[in-house]
Amino acid sequence: ILQTRLLVDLASAQASREEDLVAIRGLVNEHLGGFQNVNAVLRSRVAAALLQMGISNQTVLDCLEGSCPNNVGCAMGPETSKVLHSVRNTGAVYLGTPEVPVQEKQLSDNIDALGELESLEQFHWSLKDSNYPDEVLKKLGDVIGKMKLLQRLVLVLNNSRISDASGEHIGRGMALPNLRDAKLLFHSASVSDRTATEISKALSACEKLESVDLVLSNTNITDHGGASLATNFVSPGLKQLALRLFNSNVKTLTGEALGESLPKFTSLEVLTVDLASSNFDCDGGVGLGPGLGLPSVREMNLLLASCNIQDKGVAHLGDKFGECTNLTKLKVDLANTTIHDEGAVQLMNSLGLPALDEITVALSDSRVSEGTAQALGDALQKCGKLTKIDVQLHSTNVSDCACAKLCSCMDLDSTSSLRMSCWDRQGVPAGADTFKALGSALGAALVMETLEIDFYSANAQREAWEPLFQGMGSLSALSKLVFSVKGSNFEDCAPLVVAMTKMKNLRTLELDVTGTEVSDTGIILLALVLRSLPVVEFTLKASRCKVGDQALAQLLQAAEDAHELRKVDLHLDGTQITDDSRSGLLRCAERMQLTCVVHDTKVKVAEGMIRSGTQSK
């Protein structure tokens, strides 16, 4: 191998199926840094393995040079500094978290070696879960400050021992004239207000900055620190901003400061503000609202779940949404809050934006009811042609009638993805009215590719389900179906199976019938249709159902006969299957990736599966 050059480039990889190749490329492109970063990580693993085999540094570099001559990827260790000394003109360095912690002296040597790479344009270093002292990490700030050509900086210091003593020093080093993209992850680190303030000041000095992702979640940052961060960081040319302060002590002052500073980001296109599980309160929401009228923003994510925002704060969040004339993608997460219709209705009334293409509204585990559902439905009608709708109303006070009205407002003829859950905290769940309205809406969803619906504990007679399944039968383009009726009185699988026979493009199928009246007959029908569909991943959650060995045998045989099927996940605890199913489970496990949860049954398969040499549980 070492007599040739290793071309480590996933972008040139081949696959037996073109659609798999497209999917893989899509996943990699979504990864931070795309192919360039993923390739570097892969090369770092190859380099580390070769070094551990005792092969010289220069030989490793010669071997990997053909992959990307301007990039160096290394798993940080004793040899890292030598590798860095060998590549003075490299354009990018990716240093991964060491599998075995390196000594302080080695870390210091690595930092010194980085200081010699004056032409560096991209730098990615992960020191997560590390325990290095501030004296050593301060040097990192000095070295970063010398990287005058640096355009992209990624620092991963999650769960590290870093404190303000070195954090603010690193922050000062980020004032770089050519920096365009900064991703700074300090989740669960020991930093607080001083570090936040220095980082914000340094980033404001970066005149070419286009993208910032700053994570200070679960740190010691206070409300004063959050306000200082928001006040000091102003970057008119910034296009993407993600500020993640969830699970922190930020509150009123932070919201007010953000409300004043955000309008100064005049070029902003993507905004994420994550204050979930923080002390963010009602007055903070009132202060934040005026800052959300951003005409240039195309995508906005407001993540305020599990905070204390209350009705008054929520009511003012949408005051300026009407000024977001270019907004095409919106996510508002207010789950697990104490808000009622009083505040939520005003927010919903502001969501009817004609340019919207995708909308997510999460109000689960809140106290909203009919008024909010009606206002949301009216807003959806004003939005026009939505391609993605995600509405989470479970564990609220929304009734069957209100949910039905919401569904009747959905125009799904251009919608490719619908995700919806609706059941209330009093245990009066969605029923016949909802099924009829949703079924009617789905009948027009001819381009829908993804459908995820959750009607936990639904209560309706057998014939009431039929309009829903009739609508689902129109989804010929569907590729992913997640259908959950856990704890409901659902028992007849036949209408669902009939609908599924028309889904000729279905690739992912997940059914949750836990605790329902589904029996062997329903599972056997499901097995029949599974053979005829191009499903690749199949999940069945049938715990506490009246399912026995006969039905399971047919289902496993169908899984073996399905040529496309690659992964099966079965939850069968509390069913009537016995050890007679052992051979079928083992045979299926040998053919594909099989996960089977069979607690509290009379079947013992785990030991046999381990002996079979598969990766199965």
Side-chain angles (χ1 to χ4, degrees), residues 509-528:
L509 175 59
E510 180 177 329
L511 302 177
D512 188 349
V513 294
T514 301
T516 65
E517 298 299 316
V518 170
S519 61
D520 277 1
T521 302
I523 302 301
I524 291 171
L525 288 173
L526 183 60
L528 291 174

Side-chain angles (χ1 to χ4, degrees), residues 66 158 214 249 288 344 406 483 486 545:
N158 297 337
L214 177 58
N249 293 317
L288 174 62
L406 171 61
F483 182 74
K486 179 180 178 181
C545 290

